[in-house]
């Protein structure tokens, strides 16, 4: 693989169910990010990780959790999905954080919570 | 609060020139990015400005005025494949990206 991959591509989920969105990068980037994109709004940061073993909260972290056990993987978990979490989710990575590095995005996961 | 403003939608003709404006009010400034996003796809990097002035990259140019909190993306010789949304994002004092809602550009033949 080259770049960032996300899985699944799309998912329809019943409210109250638990769901993990997967994100893997092979660029050896230190920093990774999860965003959600909703119509009429800019990308909003959910959680981020500056380096393996560390995570931080973004603008809209409630209802989501992340882990960063290694450099390549950065899964996003919805513990108990609600309809307001219907969105397109993008994972991104950059060489470092706290700098002006360009962020590279995965193809996205379209999630619908009913 | 932090705010990035862009027009919601613009229409232009193939072969013409279009300018997409972005104004921002953020806590600190460490640079401004422009990304292109085709429908149903991921955003892809176009340009980065941190100093005032114009940066040219082929058919695309980006301008920044820090004193005015203003940037624009200039697209020349428009092609149908340029139909996309263009996202403006500012790196704030915490080095977090603050994103505008994007400008949907429609190119007509």
């Amino acid at each position: 693989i080259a770049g960032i991959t996300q899985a699944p591509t799309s998912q329809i989920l019943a409210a109250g169910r638990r769901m993990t969105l997967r994100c893997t990068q092979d660029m050896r980037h230190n920093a990774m990010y999860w965003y959600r994109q909703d119509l009429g709004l800019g990308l909003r940061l959910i959680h981020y990780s500056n380096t393996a073993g560390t995570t931080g909260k973004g603008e809209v972290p409630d209802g989501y959790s992340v882990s960063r056990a290694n450099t390549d993987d950065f899964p996003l978990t919805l513990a108990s999905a609600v309809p307001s979490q219907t969105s397109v989710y993008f994972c991104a990575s950059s060489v470092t954080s706290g700098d002006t590095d360009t962020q590279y995005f995965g193809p996205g996961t379209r999630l619908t919570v009913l | 609060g932090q705010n990035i403003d862009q027009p919601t939608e613009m229409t232009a003709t193939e072969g013409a020139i279009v300018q997409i404006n972005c104004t921002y009010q953020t806590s600190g400034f460490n640079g401004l990015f422009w990304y292109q996003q085709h429908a149903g796809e991921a955003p892809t990097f176009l340009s980065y400005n941190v100093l005032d002035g114009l940066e040219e990259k082929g058919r695309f140019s980006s301008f920044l005025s820090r004193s005015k909190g203003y940037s624009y993306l200039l697209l020349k010789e428009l092609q149908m494949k340029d139909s996309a949304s263009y996202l403006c994002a500012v790196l704030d004092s915490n080095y977090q990206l603050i994103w505008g809602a994007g400008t949907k550009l429609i190119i007509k033949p």
Side-chain angles (χ1 to χ4, degrees):
Chain A
I1 55 173
I4 303 180
T5 58
Q6 293 184 235
T9 302
S10 65
Q11 181 76 44
I12 300 173
L13 190 65
R17 297 296 296 269
R18 181 184 179 89
M19 175 74 193
T20 295
L21 308 185
R22 300 185 297 279
C23 174
T24 299
Q25 54 102 359
D26 67 353
M27 298 178 285
R28 308 304 294 173
H29 284 176
N30 285 309
M32 297 187 76
Y33 313 85
W34 273 106
Y35 291 95
R36 59 178 289 172
Q37 187 175 40
D38 302 291
L39 200 62
L41 299 177
L43 287 160
R44 291 183 291 169
L45 183 65
I46 304 170
H47 285 285
Y48 64 93
S49 169
N50 291 334
T51 188
T54 70
T55 62
K57 294 182 179 180
E59 180 187 355
V60 289
D62 294 344
Y64 305 95
S65 63
V66 292
S67 61
R68 185 90 183 277
N70 57 59
T71 297
D72 298 346
D73 301 300
F74 190 43
L76 176 74
T77 297
L78 290 67
S80 179
V82 295
S84 62
Q85 291 178 311
T86 294
S87 188
V88 180
Y89 291 86
F90 287 102
C91 179
S93 72
S94 60
V95 175
T96 61
S97 65
D99 205 334
T100 59
D101 290 332
T102 300
Q103 291 187 15
Y104 296 90
F105 285 79
T109 294
R110 184 174 296 275
L111 181 67
T112 302
V113 182
L114 301 176
Chain B
Q2 309 206 85
N3 197 47
I4 311 280
D5 284 319
Q6 310 178 231
T8 303
E9 187 175 295
M10 298 181 71
T11 303
T13 304
E14 190 177 15
I17 299 173
V18 70
Q19 178 176 310
I20 302 174
N21 296 325
C22 171
T23 58
Y24 62 89
Q25 290 178 302
T26 57
S27 56
F29 179 84
N30 281 300
L32 185 144
F33 290 83
W34 283 97
Y35 278 75
Q36 181 189 58
Q37 185 177 25
H38 285 102
E41 297 183 7
T44 56
F45 170 78
L46 285 177
S47 67
Y48 170 72
N49 294 67
V50 67
L51 300 177
D52 289 350
L54 188 68
E55 297 263 351
E56 297 188 70
K57 261 192 203 180
R59 293 190 300 113
F60 291 11
S61 303
S62 55
F63 171 83
L64 175 67
S65 169
R66 288 172 297 173
S67 62
K68 295 182 179 178
Y70 168 68
S71 172
Y72 67 74
L73 182 69
L74 191 71
L75 291 75
K76 302 176 187 176
E77 301 168 17
L78 285 170
Q79 302 175 10
M80 297 304 292
K81 68 179 182 179
D82 297 329
S83 292
S85 288
Y86 292 85
L87 314 181
C88 173
V90 171
L91 204 57
D92 71 7
S93 57
N94 295 319
Y95 289 94
Q96 285 203 351
L97 273 177
I98 310 301
W99 295 82
T103 298
K104 182 178 180 181
L105 178 63
I106 300 167
I107 310 294
K108 294 186 174 178

